Amino acid sequence: MTSAIRHAEAASRSTDTTGKGNGKGGRRIGHALAYLFLGAMIVAQLLPFWLALSAASKPSTDMSSTLVPRLHDIAWDNFTTAITQGGILTAVGNSVIVTVCSTVLVCICGAAAAYPLARRKTRGNKLVSAGIMSLMMVPPLSILVPLYTLMVNTGGVNTRWGIVLVTVAGNLPLAIFLYTAFIKAVPESIDEAGMIDGASRFMIFIRLILPLLKPVTATVVIMTSVGVWNEYALSNYLISDPGKQLIAPRVASFFAMQSSNLGVGAASALIAALPIVIVYLFLQRYFIAGIAAGAEK
Amino acid sequence: MTNKHNPAALNTGRRPLRGAGINLFYLPAILILIVFTVWPLLSGIQLSFTNWDGYSPTKAFVGLSNYLTMFKDHNFGTVLVNTLIYGVGSTAIQQVIGLGLALLLNSRIKGRNIMRAIIYLPALVSAVIMGTMYYFVFQYQQGALNTLMVSLGLPRVVWFDKPAVSVAIIVIINSLQYVGTSMIIYLAGLQGMDHSVIEAADLDGAHGWKKFRNITLPLLMPAFSTSVVLNLIGGLKLFDVIQVLTGGGPGYSTNSVSTYIGLTYFSNQNAGYASAMGVVLFVIIAIATTLLNKGLDRLGWES
């Protein structure tokens, strides 16, 4: 229907200005500008990585431009300093543990929560769904004061479980949304078949529904793990102990102390960026598909 | 035993799909969300009516005083304007560049996969780490921009000492970092298009700008609204890049509401005021998102 209408519209519009084209020259200039724009964007996106690599190659005595790396005498010391003094590897380890725990919890709680929300469409459950969705709009800093106070009172400051639970809460709404949309598309006849066989609700979910959730789980894992790995706004305040800090706050506080030593700061940023860049190189297709799926709300 | 295999008997006994017991599945998630998001949100509203300093056991009810302070606080005015600039500025830049990139990288251009990957790469890296890397563009002695200035025979510039310039730089960095997200949303929109419509347009001789304006653009409306809402929320709650690049300075001139909340709570020990600003920030984002969703829906209908 709509395609027929658009067809007609396009047809009527195409009659009024036909033959007025810009000619070949105009088109060629357009193409050249397009490629120029594309090239400029590629350079702009790679530039910070190039500059960081270049800065990391120089000792603090080398004041030359970060545009040109020091290839003849790379200052590997910068990387060892970032690891020994900056504790960057410790922070990477902390982030790995927290990211894995949060992601697993988000998948389990998210998938479980989505099952009744997708299957039992009562007014109450619709309200619960809407409430959870609206939590996606809560900015982390809006709840900083009460959350920090809660953590102080429960002994959750500077602990792993504290930041795990906070990041789980931050990432659950989107996960529940994605799982609910996916389960809604799974035919209810599958559940009914399980019921006829006398399986309990729990077993139906575990045995019949859960195995079908692999594709959406891939999306949830990507969105959550990237989100937790990069978390800064709350972990910056909730974990101040340098030995327990996550990677983003650690790089930020170490970088702030290295204003006179650009190379060490650059090295710490590069080490921190490396794990996610490597994972991205190998799983690039899943990442892009996952982000697109996650955005289609 | 025999009953178990009789569907009729089973359906009258218990009906798993319709029983309320199934709701137990969402208890763990709801519990976590209540404790770590809903309760802090409500508690924040309550704290916003007090003069609490953040650590002493006592606090007094001060009514709307914290909200009234915002009108008198010049810093809050600056910070609010900055937040709107960060939100609207980044959103606008990301739509223009993101859509442009999506259109170019949707064509059969050589190496488009690697180009998409490069454009998207910064969005995956923490804003803190991208911020430290972008610092090398603007650094005084060795930064790329000042190298360019010197080679052009111009004096070096201190890039982060003027508020307006600093705010603009933060907008540009935030836009560039997340422009890949917009591009991917638009690419998904372009690839999900009904090919018969596009073929029909081709048959009718619709080309170039006209085809784009009348066919492609209306079909991209869902992608547009998704991208705008995501970018706007991201920009309005901007925190990480500011913290790393300027720390809100010089003075309070580049703070967003988010970074100003952190300062007010931890440096100025004014937890009540910080809570009130948190409430205002949430309300701004909620209103912007709701209005935008409604407005964009209507726009989608008309075109």
Side-chain angles (χ1 to χ4, degrees), chain B residues 1-276:
Chain B
M1 227 12 216
T2 43
N3 255 359
K4 206 173 179 188
H5 295 281
N6 181 344
L10 205 127
N11 272 344
T12 49
R14 48 181 196 140
R15 302 159 78 185
L17 276 186
R18 280 158 198 89
I22 191 179
N23 285 352
L24 286 173
F25 278 79
Y26 61 54
L27 266 187
I30 299 277
L31 216 66
I32 293 175
L33 288 173
I34 286 178
V35 174
F36 295 98
T37 312
V38 178
W39 186 82
L41 199 62
L42 298 176
S43 165
I45 297 173
Q46 189 210 342
L47 285 173
S48 74
F49 298 112
T50 72
N51 67 352
W52 195 41
D53 57 12
Y55 52 90
S56 38
T58 55
K59 46 182 170 272
F61 178 78
V62 293
L64 287 171
S65 156
N66 285 325
Y67 291 92
L68 295 175
T69 308
M70 277 178 226
F71 288 100
K72 289 177 265 169
D73 180 357
H74 286 296
N75 292 330
F76 183 75
T78 311
V79 158
L80 189 64
V81 170
N82 286 346
T83 302
L84 297 178
I85 295 175
Y86 293 143
V88 177
S90 314
T91 306
I93 296 177
Q94 279 169 268
Q95 301 329 303
V96 174
I97 301 184
L99 180 57
L101 288 170
L103 289 168
L104 285 173
L105 293 178
N106 194 42
S107 58
R108 271 191 216 93
I109 189 170
K110 230 185 218 170
R112 66 177 186 180
N113 281 336
I114 179 92
M115 286 194 273
R116 284 179 194 173
I118 290 171
I119 299 286
Y120 183 65
L121 177 64
L124 274 178
V125 178
S126 153
V128 168
I129 290 159
M130 285 315 295
T132 62
M133 290 185 174
Y134 276 113
Y135 177 73
F136 302 117
V137 177
F138 303 101
Q139 202 266 346
Y140 182 77
Q141 183 65 36
Q142 298 167 266
L145 214 50
N146 274 350
T147 307
L148 199 69
M149 297 294 283
V150 169
S151 70
L152 291 174
L154 297 164
R156 285 192 160 86
V157 175
V158 183
W159 292 102
F160 289 112
D161 74 337
K162 288 169 215 68
V165 179
S166 303
V167 168
I169 290 175
I170 289 169
V171 169
I172 292 170
I173 290 180
N174 182 52
S175 308
L176 284 179
Q177 185 178 359
Y178 295 108
V179 77
T181 315
S182 305
M183 176 192 73
I184 287 184
I185 294 170
Y186 285 121
L187 273 173
L190 288 169
Q191 281 153 13
M193 272 181 189
D194 187 354
H195 283 284
S196 62
V197 178
I198 293 157
E199 275 157 27
D202 283 338
L203 282 177
D204 291 330
H207 292 299
W209 171 249
K210 219 166 14 151
K211 178 177 161 191
F212 176 72
R213 170 70 190 82
N214 295 323
I215 311 291
T216 316
L217 217 49
L219 289 177
L220 271 181
M221 272 318 286
F224 178 72
S225 60
T226 306
S227 178
V228 165
V229 171
L230 271 183
N231 294 161
L232 192 71
I233 294 180
L236 289 176
K237 64 183 189 189
L238 199 64
F239 178 86
D240 304 12
V241 199
I242 306 168
Q243 200 79 342
V244 172
L245 279 179
T246 67
Y252 287 97
S253 63
T254 56
N255 273 300
S256 65
V257 175
S258 284
T259 58
Y260 194 50
I261 290 173
L263 277 177
T264 308
Y265 180 28
F266 285 98
S267 306
N268 303 346
Q269 273 141 19
N270 198 342
Y273 189 34
S275 301

Side-chain angles (χ1 to χ4, degrees), chain A residues 205-280:
Chain A
F205 176 68
I206 299 282
R207 287 271 171 81
L208 301 176
I209 303 295
L210 220 49
L212 300 174
L213 301 183
K214 272 178 205 150
V216 65
T217 301
T219 305
V220 172
V221 165
I222 286 169
M223 305 289 286
T224 308
S225 52
V226 170
V228 177
W229 185 268
N230 292 340
E231 212 289 324
Y232 174 70
L234 290 172
S235 57
N236 175 41
Y237 296 110
L238 292 174
I239 302 182
S240 51
D241 179 345
K244 290 179 180 161
Q245 265 181 324
L246 303 189
I247 189 62
R250 185 82 281 264
V251 170
S253 39
F254 185 61
F255 187 73
M257 294 186 304
Q258 299 294 326
S259 55
S260 60
N261 200 343
L262 286 190
V264 175
S268 68
L270 286 171
I271 299 171
L274 201 62
I276 210 150
V277 172
I278 290 175
V279 174
Y280 177 53

Side-chain angles (χ1 to χ4, degrees), chain A residues 16-39:
Chain A
D16 46 31
T17 46
T18 38
K20 226 179 119 188
N22 305 347
K24 256 188 182 167
R27 186 166 264 195
R28 208 168 286 161
I29 292 171
H31 274 239
L33 285 176
Y35 281 111
L36 201 66
F37 164 69
L38 197 56

